[in-house]
Amino acid sequence: MKLCDLKPGTKGKIIRISGNKNLKRRFQTMGILPGEEIVVEKVAPLGDPIDVIVKGYHLSLRKNEADQIEVEVIK
Amino acid sequence: MKEIRIAVCGNPNTGKSTLINSLAGAKLQVGNWPGVTVEKKEVTFKTGDYLLHFIDLPGAYSLTPFSLEEKITRDFLFTQRPDVILCVVDSTNLERNLFFVIQLMELGIPMVVALNMYDEAQKLGYKIDIALLEELLGVKIVPTVATRGEGIEKLKEKVVEVYEKSILPKDLSYGEDIEELIRKTKSHLLTLNPQLSEEELTKGIILKVLEGDEEVLQKLGIKYDKTLLKSYLEHIEKVHGMDFEDFLTDTRYGLSAGAVKKVLSRPEIRKITFTEKIDNILLNRYLGIPLFLLIMWLLFKLAFDIANPYVDFLDETISEFVIIWAGAGLEAVGAPDWIISLITDGIIGGVGIVFTFIPVIGMIMLLITLLESSGYMARAAFLMDRVMRAFGVQGKSFIPMLMGFGCNVPSVYATRVLEQEKERKLTMFLVPFMSCGARLPVYVVFISAFFASSSGTVLFFLYTFGIAIAMAVGIVMHKLFYKGESSPFIMELPPYRFPTFRDLRIHTWMKLRHFVIKAGTWILLINIIVWGLLNLPWKPEKPEDSLLGKIGSTVAPIFKPLGYGDWASASSLLSGILAKEVVVSTMAQIYGMEEEKEIKEVNLLEDLKSIGQKFIEKTKEAISNVFSTFGIATLSAEEPEEAGGLIPILQKHFTPLSALSFMVFVLLYWPCFVYGIALKAELGTFKLYGQAILLHTLVAWVCAFLVYQIGNFLGF
């Protein structure tokens, strides 16, 4: 499933990242890598962007960017 | 004396600039990186036998650049090769920070790492084995708390130590496959680039070649064979099932995670941090936006309320004291009329304009620094991004645009929060559509003349109309600028932190000084030109005879379809380029409303005394404004003094419809020249201002035309 489909408060494991090179590169730099755990912490009041925790820090992503990140839910 | 050049780098939000301020004391030098608008800070001082020259590089997450800032950092490190690298690291976020440290280590330059915010890490219960980390990385590490100046002396010592002993960071193993690839590429590069020695070909450069970062390789003048390299890379891609860049990032992050595992022990259960508790309220689904708007309103109201009495004070002191006494003095030495007028109105008046902007810009810059260094700026962007995308810009543009309602000039400076050059320029471009305080006097006069019964509605219409136009122009410009592709908006939400007083003071002062120096001279020059337009040929008998009047008569026909083709309105609009509120006073002058100059006894001592009294009075006013902010005070426009007599005249020259068309025109046309000069000071060229003048004036004309013609058609 996609990262933006995760409900706030749920934890996922990153499986695959798609998107253009520029975006992918940025994701990787910020620590969004396959195998990494990611938590969707909050959704902005207007529904976009979202606030995620990765590698222990908070990051804001737009939904169309989060669309490029495939995750599986960890219980 | 030997100089050591030290590049200071680190991720954003690591307290790097606080550390620099702490190192520098009063010796900080601020300029711009050549050709760009990014601030460059440097500091030089003696320590023992050395002259330490610190160069602050813009915050970066990686040496494969994404933003303009990161590009500068990469270019400097690769092409200017500093003697020592000082990397500032956030101790509470080791893994991502070490990812950057590992890239820096590839450069083969002696390195010192400042484990900053060490106190915060301790509070979280983190234990970091510094000695082990030093050993793993081969760099010197100093725990620091930059806000309190802790560890700063030690940093200086370590910098000298790594330089003297030329302690190089460890060459970490990137795994057999990558190391083999590096060896092959190295020998390939050495044959193609005989000018390079083996030491000069660092791991960093070789990886840049493999990554295909052509921009920096071109700057270094390194030749390589693309097809050969491609064949090298294909091997890796086949074996590991991902492209080389992904594999490299993975490896670097793997090394970073491995090191963190060894040196950091932290409590099992992750505590909810102080920041998260605050964010649960400030980013709350229902409360987030109302709280944000409330905070913005309070802060900006406070800023303008404190600044405005001082603006008045400076304005009055200059016009009622400096100009009068300078005039009297010049008259006493027998200077001719025109010289007196040039000096008092042209020059001193121009300096006066610069001065009157100081309180506003100072207060606004203080607020922006406060918002940025506390961490709330990122939240503002998070909350408003959805809205601002409608304008073709992103969340961080909200604050400069909002400030535009007070004054467009500090907004230009506030756009510094935007990292992407394109977004920054687009925001700058849209700011003048926000109806600034200087336009209010024009509305007030016209509204009281024609729309007294529905003043609120008309005012509301004008403000929202400006916003709507900004939205339309923003979307079109965005399409043109980006050609369909939008830039990613991936932003760290840093922990909330208390800014230090010293940081606030230094940053505010730097920006103010920048305005006064860079913009001041231009403002003065243009004010002198405008003086010429108003007063030449010397002492025009009728206002029509001045240069301004003549230009006004020439351009007047352009305004005919908007409902006011007379030279008087054209000339007032022209004078409004100086500052929009001038439209009203020029009209008053043209229609012969010029107030009789008071002839008063002049007494230097009395005047000086009254200046002192006024200053105290205005300070009292500023303080009482602060308190009234929390009561029910509203932004109210003072009716200009000239207004009273002007109203019946306006009613003769305008109809309600042409008055509305006039206000729409004033709202949108030609951004004032101080704004333009701020643009020039920030961007180094007048190009964007030129474009803004053309486009804004065109938009204004079309809108006013539509208002007037459609209104006419509907029979108003």
Side-chain angles (χ1 to χ4, degrees), chain B residues 505-522:
Chain B
R505 181 175 51 90
I506 290 177
H507 290 280
T508 309
W509 168 237
M510 292 299 163
K511 284 162 191 159
L512 244 186
R513 206 179 57 170
H514 184 268
F515 170 77
V516 172
I517 295 171
K518 293 256 172 161
T521 38
W522 281 100

Side-chain angles (χ1 to χ4, degrees), chain B residues 211-452:
Chain B
E211 215 179 75
D213 189 341
E214 287 173 28
E215 219 176 49
V216 73
L217 295 169
Q218 218 167 26
K219 284 182 184 153
L220 288 167
I222 288 178
K223 290 193 262 317
Y224 56 100
D225 180 355
K226 259 191 196 167
T227 33
L228 184 72
L229 290 175
K230 219 174 163 193
S231 71
Y232 289 176
L233 293 176
E234 268 165 12
H235 173 70
I236 289 253
E237 277 155 27
K238 226 182 264 163
V239 176
H240 294 277
M242 55 172 104
D243 71 57
F244 173 71
E245 229 187 289
D246 293 1
F247 186 54
L248 182 61
T249 315
D250 244 24
T251 309
R252 283 173 179 150
Y253 253 117
L255 286 168
S256 156
V260 170
K261 217 171 195 175
K262 281 185 197 147
V263 303
L264 175 69
S265 64
R266 57 184 147 195
E268 278 295 313
I269 302 154
R270 195 173 173 279
K271 274 189 285 187
I272 292 182
T273 59
F274 167 70
T275 296
E276 281 162 346
K277 279 181 206 154
I278 296 183
D279 271 346
N280 282 338
I281 301 165
L282 289 183
L283 300 183
N284 179 283
R285 259 205 119 129
Y286 306 103
L287 290 176
I289 291 191
L291 278 175
F292 168 71
L293 294 175
L294 185 71
I295 291 170
M296 288 299 115
W297 184 79
L298 280 178
L299 285 180
F300 288 115
K301 171 120 175 48
L302 209 60
F304 284 108
D305 277 354
I306 293 176
N308 281 338
Y310 293 103
V311 173
D312 290 348
F313 167 74
L314 288 166
D315 191 32
E316 282 166 23
T317 306
I318 287 160
S319 62
E320 284 165 22
F321 175 75
V322 181
I323 288 186
I324 287 175
W325 278 97
L330 287 165
E331 219 174 276
V333 297
D337 267 11
W338 70 271
I339 292 253
I340 297 176
S341 170
L342 172 66
I343 290 180
T344 54
D345 296 337
I347 296 174
I348 302 178
V351 174
I353 294 176
V354 179
F355 268 94
T356 49
F357 271 97
I358 288 176
V360 181
I361 294 186
M363 279 307 294
I364 293 287
M365 282 349 283
L366 183 70
L367 277 189
I368 293 287
T369 315
L370 185 74
L371 287 171
E372 263 196 295
S373 51
S374 65
Y376 193 63
M377 187 65 94
R379 271 73 184 181
F382 180 75
L383 290 168
M384 298 314 287
D385 184 59
R386 188 76 201 74
V387 177
M388 296 318 285
R389 248 188 294 167
F391 293 81
V393 288
Q394 55 123 304
K396 285 190 182 173
S397 307
F398 181 80
I399 285 173
M401 302 261 258
L402 178 74
M403 280 168 32
F405 289 113
C407 175
N408 293 171
V409 179
S411 293
V412 171
Y413 283 85
T415 58
R416 285 188 182 190
V417 299
L418 290 149
E419 295 90 2
Q420 302 275 337
E421 186 87 352
K422 277 179 187 170
E423 281 173 338
R424 187 170 180 219
K425 282 187 179 161
L426 184 52
T427 308
M428 284 174 165
F429 196 84
L430 296 181
V431 156
F433 289 125
M434 306 299 119
S435 185
C436 69
R439 281 165 248 189
L440 205 49
V442 184
Y443 307 151
V444 169
V445 176
F446 275 82
I447 286 176
S448 32
F450 297 98
F451 304 101

Side-chain angles (χ1 to χ4, degrees), chain A residues 25 48 55 58 60 65, chain B residues 95 245 276 389 489 491:
Chain A
R25 209 182 246 168
D48 197 9
K55 289 202 182 282
H58 287 259
S60 148
E65 290 151 7
Chain B
E95 200 175 329
E245 229 187 289
E276 281 162 346
R389 248 188 294 167
F489 182 65
M491 174 188 66

